[in-house]
Amino acid sequence: LQSLLNTVKEIALNAGHAILAVAFHERDVSSKEDGSPVTRADYAAHSTIVQGLAEIIPRYPVISEEGDYESFLHNSEQFTEYWLVDPLDGTKEFLKENGEYTVNIALVDNGYPVLGVIFAPALDVMYYAASGLGSWKVKDNSSPERLTGHGSAHPVTALISRSHPSTE
């Protein structure tokens, strides 16, 4: 998994650079069916990720927010392993230019994530993990910092979005 993780980290970096390369006046905001915004940066990151993942394990499908995930859903019983991707998570934050958006790539095997990379290109922060390799954080190309749990017997999960306030 270490070699695969290194490659996926590079793909996430490339997708982040593709996002940053889209100038503000070139963002061409449109809306998806659910009314959420989508930009040229979303599609640039999607293309970068899909091409990169196809080069390393072409038989694994890529389920991407900007791709044709409906066809995957209709054929999902055929696949036990797949890539789960959000090429630009936080498009509203990207449009606000507050830096609070990420590139997300995960490898799922039999319903469980076995590898994941989250990269915040505007902040130059990357989080990554893989089964048996631990969880790590890298900021500004510094040395990786190992992340550990706090030993709580009761894990806590919190989720909130500044741009999507709702009870969900």
Side-chain angles (χ1 to χ4, degrees), residues 1-50:
L1 278 180
Q2 183 65 58
S3 176
L4 183 60
L5 180 60
N6 290 339
T7 303
V8 174
K9 287 168 30 185
E10 189 65 32
I11 292 168
L13 284 170
N14 292 339
H17 295 150
I19 291 168
L20 294 175
V22 175
F24 187 76
H25 65 280
E26 296 177 340
R27 293 184 183 178
D28 296 333
V29 182
S30 58
S31 295
K32 298 184 209 176
E33 287 182 22
D34 66 0
S36 62
V38 63
T39 67
R40 286 183 57 201
D42 290 90
Y43 293 120
H46 168 81
S47 177
T48 300
I49 293 168
V50 169

Side-chain angles (χ1 to χ4, degrees), residues 87-110:
L88 197 170
D89 186 20
T91 301
K92 288 182 179 180
E93 313 318 322
F94 172 70
L95 292 169
K96 292 176 187 174
E97 296 189 53
N98 67 14
E100 297 175 359
Y101 53 89
T102 59
V103 173
N104 304 327
I105 305 172
L107 176 60
V108 178
D109 183 6
N110 288 305

Side-chain angles (χ1 to χ4, degrees), residues 92-93 96 160-168:
K92 288 182 179 180
E93 313 318 322
K96 292 176 187 174
I160 189 163
S161 171
R162 184 184 333 209
S163 296
H164 301 282
S166 68
T167 57
E168 293 88 15

Side-chain angles (χ1 to χ4, degrees), residues 9-168:
K9 287 168 30 185
E10 189 65 32
I11 292 168
L13 284 170
N14 292 339
H17 295 150
I19 291 168
L20 294 175
V22 175
F24 187 76
H25 65 280
E26 296 177 340
R27 293 184 183 178
D28 296 333
V29 182
S30 58
S31 295
K32 298 184 209 176
E33 287 182 22
D34 66 0
S36 62
V38 63
T39 67
R40 286 183 57 201
D42 290 90
Y43 293 120
H46 168 81
S47 177
T48 300
I49 293 168
V50 169
Q51 289 174 354
L53 295 177
E55 289 176 12
I56 54 175
I57 308 180
R59 70 182 181 277
Y60 290 1
V62 177
I63 304 157
S64 170
E65 187 169 334
E66 311 316 336
D68 180 18
Y69 58 85
E70 292 292 329
S71 64
F72 173 82
L73 294 176
H74 295 299
N75 300 303
S76 61
E77 66 280 348
Q78 298 177 30
F79 303 103
T80 58
E81 298 165 314
Y82 56 90
W83 296 103
L84 186 59
V85 172
D86 192 342
L88 197 170
D89 186 20
T91 301
K92 288 182 179 180
E93 313 318 322
F94 172 70
L95 292 169
K96 292 176 187 174
E97 296 189 53
N98 67 14
E100 297 175 359
Y101 53 89
T102 59
V103 173
N104 304 327
I105 305 172
L107 176 60
V108 178
D109 183 6
N110 288 305
Y112 294 96
V114 294
L115 178 150
V117 176
I118 300 171
F119 177 50
L123 305 174
D124 197 18
V125 177
M126 180 179 284
Y127 297 89
Y128 57 92
S131 294
L133 300 176
S135 301
W136 301 85
K137 174 184 176 181
V138 175
K139 180 162 178 55
D140 302 322
N141 292 317
S142 62
S143 296
E145 169 190 349
R146 187 174 182 102
L147 303 175
T148 60
H150 297 290
S152 172
H154 304 285
V156 177
T157 302
L159 175 68
I160 189 163
S161 171
R162 184 184 333 209
S163 296
H164 301 282
S166 68
T167 57
E168 293 88 15

